[in-house]
Amino acid sequence: MFHKALWYQNYKQTRMIIWIILALFIIHMPFQSVLSLETWKEREEQANQAEGYVYEVQKWDVLQIFSQGTLPVFLSFSIIALACLLIGLERNTRRNDFTFSLPFSRKDLFLAKWLYGVSAIFFFHIINFFTAFFIIYQSDYSTALYLVSWIEIFWGPLLGFIMFFTFALLIGTFTGEMISQVGLTFLLGFLPQGVFALIQSFTEVHFRYIFSLPDWINYLTPFNYVFNQSGEILSVVLPLIFTGLFLWLSTYLYEKNKIEHNGEFLIFKVLNPVFLTGITISISLAGGMIVSALAPWSADALRIIAYWIGFTTFLLFALLIGRRIVTMNIQFYGKP
Amino acid sequence: MKISGLSKTIHGKHILSDINFSIETGSIIGVTGRNGAGKTTLLRTMTGILDPTKGDVTIDGYSIFKKPQTKEQVIFVPDSSEAFKNYSTKEILTLYKNIYSKFDEEYFYGLMDRFSLPFVKKTGAYSKGMKALFSLIIAFSTGAKYILLDEPTDGLDVIVKKQVLQILVEEVAAKDVSIIISSHRLDELEFMANKIIMIKDGKVDSLYEIEEMKEMYKKVQLVFKEAMPQNLKKEVTILDQTGRVYTVIMDRNDPKLQHMIEETDPLLFEELPLLLEDIFVAKLGGVSNVS
């Protein structure tokens, strides 16, 4: 996994997204910390003009700089793109033939990709975190840093991004090309919360019964670790466990890859029925949820009818999509 | 390099079935067969790109699947250089130097100079012929013993094709390497290959030295007073028929067949020069049976 050539090749095929990720990290932490200091100063000055009003930096303000807000969303999208350029795009082009013909084991090929991405995330995060931390630390608002824990601003996001990158790579080890890798990363990234929302909508429409969201569903949702830092010790332990688990599974699957199925929806055909059934049911339930929401809230019978109209319509769409998915083959050959 | 019992099934279809042969260094081997016969699949499996359903590929006794380091002795040149279209010439050089420990940089520069190939910022900008030459130059510079080429002259103009064939023959003569070429161009294979492997329905239909192959068959022109007798039709492969004039391939070492033809008292019974293409047609399907 430390073969110089593999690192060189990985960098060459992801150069642009790596620089985008670095730029996002810079905007997210150091740049935002500078802007936030100015904002806080301005708010304080305004507060000073109003009698009896004192401005204090809130915990939420600090979390925006380090682990919350819109930028982690963009970062997570960029991390998905990085994973897709490392695995998915290789499958769409002939680059996978070149990689697999090299005198390196598939385990080394995969671990080089993983370590390359993890190193980029790790170093970008650390450098930008400490720059932002130092900017606030040397300012008049250094006490704001006491409002947050290291888990919330450092370990949580770092381990969350690394876990999420490993998750996106794992999806790439069993999907046949880039679009399915992106699609399934989003779908499975939200799966536990998504399935919960669909079931909740079903029971709510039919029985007027609403479950409360159990914590374990949040813990099982990969996207949760990128967008939401709770500060609990579990925010450190669980990403570490999931990273280990995903890494082991993805290395195993990459070693067993049948790249003759590159360009198709999934590499392992045995998974096709499982995914197609899951996708069909999810799309149908989502259809029910969407259409029932259009009916008046108080009209119970109408909502149930609307639910099943939505369910059936989307079921038909899902079946049509499913048929296309089974026969799809997306490969770019380019000019010979 | 030894290919033993190699089988590959894709989408439930047997693409390769129990392929066995071995390759010694210092030879050029042509792999030929009809479209979809499994030539490219065979080359891709021989380089470990595809996992075989059964069987193994070994080099010096080591399986390339269990010990991938042995693949430093094998290089696969696909029929498209899509993978590197965004790399500059220098970047590809850096990449290969870091992969193949025996990469000969001086030799690389020598060949680039000899074929007047420019160093470009994106190799996607090379013409088709330049790409083909560049792929070969890189492949020969790696120091790999086994060079697998998939349709190396497909779509090239005559000048470049000559250059490609020239470099292949020269390199085999100069270095102790072996070239395995998958090609439809039987005239080219005939010109340079020592051995031909014919693949039919995923199986090795025949594996012969070219000269040995030509000694096995002969091509003759036969003219009969009337149509060719039915019993004779079963014994020969008809390549062409115009009226009562037949061009056939027959077993050279079958005196009984020779005698059978003479007994029909043909108006003309004349041997013609035998081409590899004739054997290909005879062994892998009649002229009308085009896939």
Side-chain angles (χ1 to χ4, degrees):
Chain A
M1 64 181 158
F2 294 106
H3 304 291
K4 203 173 154 190
L6 295 180
W7 283 70
Y8 184 72
Q9 193 206 359
N10 287 333
Y11 174 67
K12 264 297 292 176
Q13 66 195 48
T14 59
R15 193 162 45 179
M16 192 197 280
I17 196 73
I18 281 290
W19 288 107
I20 290 175
I21 291 176
L22 176 62
L24 285 173
F25 265 113
I26 293 171
I27 296 168
H28 177 36
M29 290 191 273
F31 188 62
Q32 206 180 182
S33 62
V34 172
L35 293 181
S36 295
L37 285 178
E38 285 305 310
T39 312
W40 297 344
K41 212 162 139 186
E42 201 177 296
R43 282 186 196 158
E44 195 176 8
E45 281 166 9
Q46 282 173 353
N48 288 343
Q49 285 167 10
E51 206 173 315
Y53 188 79
V54 179
Y55 174 73
E56 276 180 5
V57 174
Q58 300 299 306
K59 179 178 180 175
W60 181 84
D61 294 316
V62 186
L63 287 180
Q64 283 292 304
I65 300 171
F66 293 102
S67 55
Q68 285 183 8
T70 333
L71 283 154
V73 178
F74 288 126
L75 267 171
S76 63
F77 292 169
S78 309
I79 284 170
I80 294 175
L82 174 64
C84 288
L85 290 175
L86 284 170
I87 294 195
L89 191 64
E90 270 201 353
R91 299 192 190 280
N92 287 110
T93 59
R94 296 223 180 158
R95 221 174 280 154
N96 212 170
D97 273 21
F98 167 75
T99 318
F100 273 27
S101 73
L102 296 178
F104 306 123
S105 69
R106 291 187 184 177
K107 189 179 175 182
D108 277 3
L109 293 174
F110 181 77
L111 289 178
K113 290 178 192 298
W114 179 77
L115 203 59
Y116 166 79
V118 167
S119 307
I121 293 168
F122 181 80
F123 286 114
F124 292 169
H125 189 272
I126 283 201
I127 293 164
N128 288 294
F129 172 84
F130 283 107
T131 311
F133 191 88
F134 178 73
I135 290 170
I136 300 174
Y137 185 76
Q138 54 75 45
S139 75
D140 297 338
Y141 298 96
S142 59
T143 50
L145 292 169
Y146 294 110
L147 298 170
V148 288
S149 68
W150 277 78
I151 291 179
E152 283 171 304
I153 61 169
F154 181 73
W155 292 110
L158 173 65
L159 297 174
F161 285 137
I162 289 175
M163 187 277 282
F164 194 71
F165 171 71
T166 315
F167 172 73
L169 276 188
L170 165 67
I171 306 294
T173 59
F174 62 82
T175 45
E177 51 83 51
M178 200 168 62
I179 301 167
S180 21
Q181 190 183 355
V182 175
L184 285 186
T185 305
F186 274 103
L187 210 65
L188 299 179
F190 283 117
L191 188 74
Q193 282 180 356
V195 168
F196 180 81
L198 294 174
I199 292 172
Q200 196 179 51
S201 148
F202 181 84
T203 58
E204 195 272 320
V205 169
H206 292 80
F207 312 112
R208 286 264 170 203
Y209 183 79
I210 296 175
F211 298 98
S212 59
L213 180 70
D215 281 345
W216 62 268
I217 286 196
N218 287 333
Y219 291 138
L220 286 179
T221 306
F223 265 112
N224 194 50
Y225 294 91
V226 198
F227 299 154
N228 187 18
Q229 299 304 331
S230 64
E232 296 165 6
I233 191 73
L234 277 176
S235 304
V236 174
V237 176
L238 287 176
L240 278 175
I241 293 173
F242 285 142
T243 303
L245 194 70
F246 293 158
L247 182 62
W248 169 77
L249 185 60
S250 45
T251 311
Y252 174 78
L253 291 176
Y254 200 72
E255 282 182 298
K256 302 279 171 209
N257 258 207
K258 302 263 179 266
I259 71 161
E260 58 267 29
H261 299 308
N262 276 357
E264 296 170 21
F265 178 53
L266 295 174
I267 288 288
F268 301 100
K269 295 295 141 196
V270 69
L271 295 174
N272 262 353
V274 179
F275 275 88
L276 288 175
T277 311
I279 290 171
T280 308
I281 294 172
S282 303
I283 292 179
S284 308
L285 287 171
M289 185 169 84
I290 294 163
V291 179
S292 68
L294 303 174
W297 181 255
S298 53
D300 282 356
L302 192 59
R303 287 186 74 207
I304 293 173
I305 292 167
Y307 188 95
W308 287 101
I309 289 173
F311 184 94
T312 317
T313 314
F314 277 64
L315 173 66
L316 291 173
F317 292 157
L319 291 174
L320 288 174
I321 295 168
R323 217 169 60 177
R324 291 297 292 270
I325 282 176
V326 171
T327 53
M328 71 184 265
N329 193 333
I330 305 171
Q331 290 208 18
F332 316 126
Y333 289 106
K335 282 188 293 179
Chain B
M1 190 180 212
K2 196 174 170 198
I3 287 86
S4 339
L6 205 69
S7 299
K8 180 71 190 168
T9 305
I10 300 176
H11 287 138
K13 196 179 163 206
H14 300 294
I15 308 294
L16 301 175
S17 304
D18 196 26
I19 304 266
N20 292 286
F21 62 92
S22 50
I23 301 160
E24 294 82 36
T25 49
S27 57
I28 299 182
I29 295 167
V31 178
T32 190
R34 303 185 67 184
N35 290 334
K39 301 185 295 293
T40 304
T41 306
L42 175 63
L43 295 197
R44 289 173 86 206
T45 315
M46 281 167 70
T47 31
I49 295 168
L50 301 180
D51 286 335
T53 312
K54 265 191 211 162
D56 205 350
V57 177
T58 52
I59 296 172
D60 301 332
Y62 295 106
S63 164
I64 62 158
F65 303 103
K66 289 181 188 139
K67 203 177 171 197
Q69 299 91 305
T70 48
K71 287 199 281 182
E72 195 161 332
Q73 296 185 57
V74 191
I75 184 155
F76 175 56
V77 181
D79 58 349
S80 149
S81 50
E82 171 75 9
F84 296 122
K85 63 176 184 182
N86 290 322
Y87 282 63
S88 72
T89 315
K90 289 258 181 197
E91 282 170 340
I92 295 182
L93 177 63
T94 309
L95 183 66
Y96 275 86
K97 264 185 349 193
N98 284 305
I99 297 168
Y100 296 91
S101 56
K102 290 181 194 155
F103 194 93
D104 189 342
E105 208 173 339
E106 206 176 305
Y107 177 79
F108 170 82
Y109 281 111
L111 282 180
M112 288 293 283
D113 195 40
R114 184 178 144 198
F115 290 102
S116 311
L117 277 184
F119 282 74
V120 289
K121 282 190 176 169
K122 280 192 177 187
T123 52
Y126 277 148
S127 69
K128 195 170 180 176
M130 283 171 163
K131 280 178 194 164
L133 278 173
F134 182 67
S135 300
L136 286 180
I137 291 172
I138 279 280
F140 283 115
S141 306
T142 58
K145 272 191 195 170
Y146 303 93
I147 296 163
L148 280 68
L149 311 172
D150 192 15
E151 305 282 357
T153 57
D154 210 21
L156 302 183
D157 68 44
V158 186
I159 312 278
V160 180
K161 205 179 281 182
K162 273 193 172 176
Q163 285 177 311
V164 166
L165 299 181
Q166 181 192 352
I167 180 174
L168 292 179
V169 175
E170 279 177 15
E171 289 314 304
V172 174
K175 294 180 170 185
D176 194 25
V177 296
S178 192
I179 298 176
I180 299 98
I181 306 175
S182 126
S183 180
H184 282 110
R185 299 304 310 261
L186 298 168
D187 51 338
E188 287 165 17
L189 289 182
E190 192 166 12
F191 161 71
M192 59 184 170
N194 322 92
K195 212 184 247 183
I196 295 288
I197 297 172
M198 282 194 184
I199 308 275
K200 186 179 182 183
D201 301 328
K203 290 180 184 159
V204 174
D205 184 79
S206 54
L207 193 167
Y208 294 114
E209 300 276 336
I210 288 208
E211 289 313 310
E212 189 186 340
M213 229 171 181
K214 286 187 174 175
E215 279 165 21
M216 288 167 66
Y217 302 98
K218 69 176 173 183
K219 181 177 171 184
V220 294
Q221 194 166 52
L222 294 164
V223 180
F224 297 96
K225 287 168 196 155
E226 289 169 10
M228 182 189 279
Q230 282 303 323
N231 61 338
L232 196 55
K233 273 188 182 170
K234 289 177 196 160
E235 303 295 325
V236 296
T237 306
I238 302 171
L239 291 176
D240 188 35
Q241 184 197 347
T242 314
R244 289 172 294 136
V245 182
Y246 295 83
T247 309
V248 303
I249 293 276
M250 58 181 278
D251 193 338
R252 184 181 287 279
N253 307 309
D254 187 351
K256 263 171 80 182
L257 180 59
Q258 177 89 12
H259 183 66
M260 196 192 269
I261 295 172
E262 283 163 2
E263 270 192 340
T264 60
D265 194 20
L267 296 174
L268 182 73
F269 181 13
E270 188 183 50
E271 187 167 348
L272 300 172
L274 179 68
L275 299 172
L276 186 57
E277 196 178 314
D278 302 322
I279 303 173
F280 180 89
V281 172
K283 292 199 75 70
L284 303 182
V287 276
S288 57
N289 186 15
V290 180
S291 64

